[in-house]
Amino acid sequence: CPVCLGHHPHHVHKCNNLTLWNGSPAFTRHASKGCLISGKGVTLCSDWQKPNSCSIPHKSTKHDCSGCGKNDHGTQRC
């Protein structure tokens, strides 16, 4: 899950847990349109969070990890 980093069965496209699976504060939430929003209000690239990542720079989204906010990996490597 790009929000809680959990591997447990749940609706990951609607997850808005305030904490990660380990109890740490969550960095990301889902906006009303389903996109990922960082704690700073920045829209994150959903493809960047996937195993194959994203190599296309975007003007409207950032390549930051939805789990921790770092820009050198996505959720799958956090």
Side-chain angles (χ1 to χ4, degrees), residues 3-4 15-29:
V3 174
C4 71
C15 179
N16 267 327
N17 288 353
L18 298 177
T19 58
L20 302 179
W21 64 272
N22 64 2
S24 300
F27 177 77
T28 306
R29 63 181 170 79

Side-chain angles (χ1 to χ4, degrees), residues 27-49 57-66:
F27 177 77
T28 306
R29 63 181 170 79
H30 278 105
S32 59
K33 295 180 182 178
C35 58
L36 295 169
I37 304 291
S38 76
K40 297 177 183 176
V42 176
T43 303
L44 303 179
C45 175
S46 294
D47 288 338
W48 180 253
Q49 313 310 321
H58 304 280
K59 292 182 180 180
S60 61
T61 62
K62 281 197 75 160
H63 283 167
D64 288 347
C65 175
S66 67

Side-chain angles (χ1 to χ4, degrees), residues 49-75:
Q49 313 310 321
K50 297 176 182 176
N52 293 334
S53 197
C54 176
S55 59
I56 303 168
H58 304 280
K59 292 182 180 180
S60 61
T61 62
K62 281 197 75 160
H63 283 167
D64 288 347
C65 175
S66 67
C68 68
K70 294 182 181 176
N71 64 4
D72 62 348
H73 63 273
T75 303

